[in-house]
């Protein structure tokens, strides 16, 4: 009979080898991962609706740099799936050694999956494979749950979708896009406004207008929708449909703008002449022509003036209680220059206004010397000349 003896080191080595073997048998997944190629995605299970296109970002790791062939190993009948890298369809991918893509915000490969419109509700699986050759392969199973409706539909809404104001007013609406899809969505923004109107979209917290925005999966984005009607817009209610369109959604929102009226007033004279002659300390009257140029009635129009110091300006009617749209009313202004006003031109400004409108007219007032004073002065001069002549004749001969 023979006995075999094993040293302590040999026993320890055998025990370690046996432990590794047992672990490999007990956990075949871990053993497979030791082969070095791994394909993964952050969200391998999603819920979608029939007819939808969903995208999966794929990450890859490998112990050694390699080129891997990509394929769809199993997919439900009628479904379509393809791999995309950048803007191109791809069938192979180069993987650098290590985990280069784990620290990147951009996925190395995107797998796009489109469901048919008539697919029934249920749970479906799609299996992808990456094959680097020499037995280095990895598979990824995607679980797709199809529901008639997703929990919480994506939407495009405004906090206060109806506003009103007078013509010349710009309107700002606070709106929000909610993306309840399982993937990030890029939305193109547009609006159907009447001719001459302008509509712009500005994301919250930014100053630049945009034509498209991206909203992360399950996220939302606030924005301001600015609407400016033309100056000549007529009174009435206007509906402006706004749309946010992505590859998976068409989100609609209606904004309503009510133009309450066009306010306007003008101040002039019946002839359009804005100049007059006056004399110091003498009242001069001028007829004012006040016209409502808007399409709504104006109330409580007040007449005020700005004249040189110590001048007086009075109106026979300083307040017009109501001036109907398109109507004209005449008011007389009485202007009295101060008694010590020198000969020359002066400016007097007359204003008509209320809470909605205002209009100014500048009058050039020419202050003149009265003719009677001129005659009196000339007479004095003549008398003086005659007196000088008499004195000259009487004393000039001596």
């Amino acid at each position: 009979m023979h006995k075999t003896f094993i040293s302590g080191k040999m026993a320890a080595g055998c025990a370690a080898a046996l432990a590794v073997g047992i672990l490999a048998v007990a956990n075949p997944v871990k053993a497979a991962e030791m082969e070095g190629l791994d394909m993964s995605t952050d969200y391998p299970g999603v819920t979608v609706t029939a007819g939808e296109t969903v995208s999966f970002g794929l990450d890859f790791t490998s112990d050694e740099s390699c080129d891997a062939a990509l394929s769809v190993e199993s997919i439900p009948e009628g479904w379509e799936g393809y791999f995309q890298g950048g803007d191109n369809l791809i069938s192979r991918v180069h993987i650098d050694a290590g985990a280069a893509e784990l620290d990147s915000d951009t996925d190395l490969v995107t797998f796009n999956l489109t469901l048919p419109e008539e697919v029934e509700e249920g749970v479906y699986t799609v299996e992808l494979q990456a094959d680097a050759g020499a037995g280095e392969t990895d598979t990824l199973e995607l679980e797709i749950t199809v529901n008639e409706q997703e929990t919480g539909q994506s939407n495009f809404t405004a906090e206060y979708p109806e506003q009103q104001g007078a013509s010349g007013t710009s309107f700002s609406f606070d709106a929000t896009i909610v993306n309840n899809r399982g993937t990030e969505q890029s939305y193109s923004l547009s609006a159907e406004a009447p001719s001459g109107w302008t509509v712009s979209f500005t994301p919250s917290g930014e100053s630049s207008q945009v034509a498209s925005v991206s909203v992360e999966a399950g996220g939302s984005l606030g924005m301001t929708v600015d609407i400016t009607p033309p100056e000549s817009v007529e009174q009435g209610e206007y509906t402006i449909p706004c749309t946010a369109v992505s590859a998976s959604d068409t989100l609609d929102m209606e904004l309503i703008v009510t133009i309450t009226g066009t306010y306007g007033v003008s101040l002039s004279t019946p002839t359009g002449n804005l100049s007059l002659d006056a004399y110091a300390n003498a009242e001069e009257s001028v007829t004012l022509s006040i016209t409502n140029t808007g399409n709504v009635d104006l109330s409580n129009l007040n007449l005020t003036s700005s004249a040189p110091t110590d001048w007086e300006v009075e109106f026979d009617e300083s307040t017009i209680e109501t001036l109907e749209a398109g109507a004209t009313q005449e008011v007389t202004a009485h202007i009295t220059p101060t008694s010590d006003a020198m000969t020359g031109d002066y400016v007097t400004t007359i204003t008509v206004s209320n809470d909605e409108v205002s209009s100014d007219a500048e009058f050039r007032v020419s202050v003149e010397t009265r003719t009677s004073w001129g005659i009196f002065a000339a007479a004095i001069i003549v008398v003086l000349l005659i007196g000088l002549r008499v004195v000259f004749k009487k004393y000039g001969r001596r």
Side-chain angles (χ1 to χ4, degrees):
M1 176 181 282
H2 294 83
K3 294 183 179 180
T4 303
F5 296 93
I6 302 175
S7 69
K9 288 186 178 181
M10 291 181 62
C14 291
L18 180 60
V20 171
I22 293 173
L23 285 175
V25 173
N27 195 348
V29 175
K30 291 294 183 181
E33 287 181 353
M34 293 176 63
E35 295 179 356
L37 178 62
D38 180 71
M39 174 173 56
S40 64
T41 184
D42 290 338
Y43 306 104
V46 298
T47 299
V48 297
T49 58
E52 184 179 345
T53 296
V54 62
S55 298
F56 299 86
L58 303 180
D59 289 322
F60 299 84
T61 59
S62 177
D63 291 341
E64 298 181 0
S65 297
C66 62
D67 291 338
L70 304 176
S71 61
V72 180
E73 289 299 294
S74 67
I75 188 171
E77 185 177 355
W79 294 36
E80 295 180 0
Y82 60 92
F83 297 94
Q84 182 177 355
D87 295 329
N88 301 314
L89 301 182
I90 63 171
S91 59
R92 298 179 66 84
V93 61
H94 177 75
I95 305 169
D96 290 327
E101 287 301 314
L102 293 181
D103 297 329
S104 173
D105 293 332
T106 303
D107 296 308
L108 184 61
V109 175
T110 300
F111 177 69
N112 298 298
L113 181 65
T114 301
L115 284 65
E117 294 286 349
E118 65 279 3
V119 65
E120 297 181 357
E121 287 189 345
V123 179
Y124 301 82
T125 59
V126 175
E127 189 175 274
L128 311 180
Q129 185 180 77
D131 186 351
E136 295 290 333
T137 64
D138 190 37
T139 59
L140 174 63
E141 185 177 279
L142 306 176
E143 183 179 280
I144 315 299
T145 302
V146 179
N147 281 341
E148 287 186 3
Q149 269 193 334
E150 287 188 88
T151 303
Q153 290 292 292
S154 301
N155 57 72
F156 189 17
T157 58
E159 184 176 6
Y160 301 105
E162 299 185 23
Q163 295 185 22
Q164 67 177 21
S167 61
T169 302
S170 294
F171 302 87
S172 293
F173 296 83
D174 293 327
T176 304
I177 295 179
V178 176
N179 173 23
N180 280 322
R181 297 288 183 179
T183 58
E184 180 179 1
Q185 299 290 310
S186 177
Y187 295 95
S188 297
L189 305 171
S190 62
E192 296 180 10
S195 177
W197 292 56
T198 59
V199 181
S200 62
F201 302 90
T202 306
S204 298
E206 299 184 15
S207 58
S208 300
Q209 300 174 4
V210 298
S212 63
V213 293
S214 293
V215 184
E216 62 184 10
S220 63
L221 177 69
M223 70 175 60
T224 300
V225 183
D226 293 310
I227 299 178
T228 304
E231 290 289 339
S232 58
V233 64
E234 297 182 358
Q235 185 176 359
E237 182 179 286
Y238 298 84
T239 299
I240 295 89
C242 300
T243 306
V245 180
S246 72
S248 302
D249 290 310
T250 297
L251 309 179
D252 297 316
M253 171 182 67
E254 285 191 348
L255 302 177
I256 297 176
V257 170
T258 300
I259 304 299
T260 57
T262 301
Y263 295 93
V265 69
S266 66
L267 172 63
S268 186
T269 64
T271 62
N273 183 23
L274 298 180
S275 63
L276 68 150
D277 298 328
Y279 298 96
N281 202 33
E283 180 183 291
E284 188 68 29
S285 298
V286 59
T287 300
L288 307 176
S289 179
I290 302 169
T291 302
N292 181 349
T293 59
N295 58 17
V296 293
D297 296 348
L298 298 175
S299 59
N300 297 321
L301 289 168
N302 296 310
L303 287 162
T304 58
S305 65
S306 175
T309 304
D310 295 331
W311 285 40
E312 293 182 1
V313 180
E314 296 179 346
F315 306 96
D316 59 3
E317 187 178 359
S318 61
T319 299
I320 302 175
E321 292 185 1
T322 302
L323 185 60
E324 296 179 351
T328 299
Q329 183 168 330
E330 293 183 351
V331 176
T332 302
H334 307 280
I335 302 174
T336 304
T338 183
S339 59
D340 57 357
M342 303 293 290
T343 299
D345 292 338
Y346 299 82
V347 174
T348 296
T349 302
I350 297 177
T351 302
V352 60
S353 65
N354 66 2
D355 292 339
E356 289 85 21
V357 294
S358 178
S359 179
D360 298 328
E362 289 188 351
F363 288 85
R364 183 174 63 85
V365 182
S366 297
V367 177
E368 301 177 352
T369 303
R370 286 191 178 276
T371 305
S372 58
W373 284 100
I375 295 175
F376 180 73
I380 292 175
I381 293 173
V382 171
V383 171
L384 289 174
L385 290 175
I386 293 173
L388 289 173
R389 185 175 181 181
V390 170
V391 170
F392 180 76
K393 284 184 177 182
K394 182 176 181 180
Y395 301 100
R397 295 177 181 178
R398 293 183 181 183

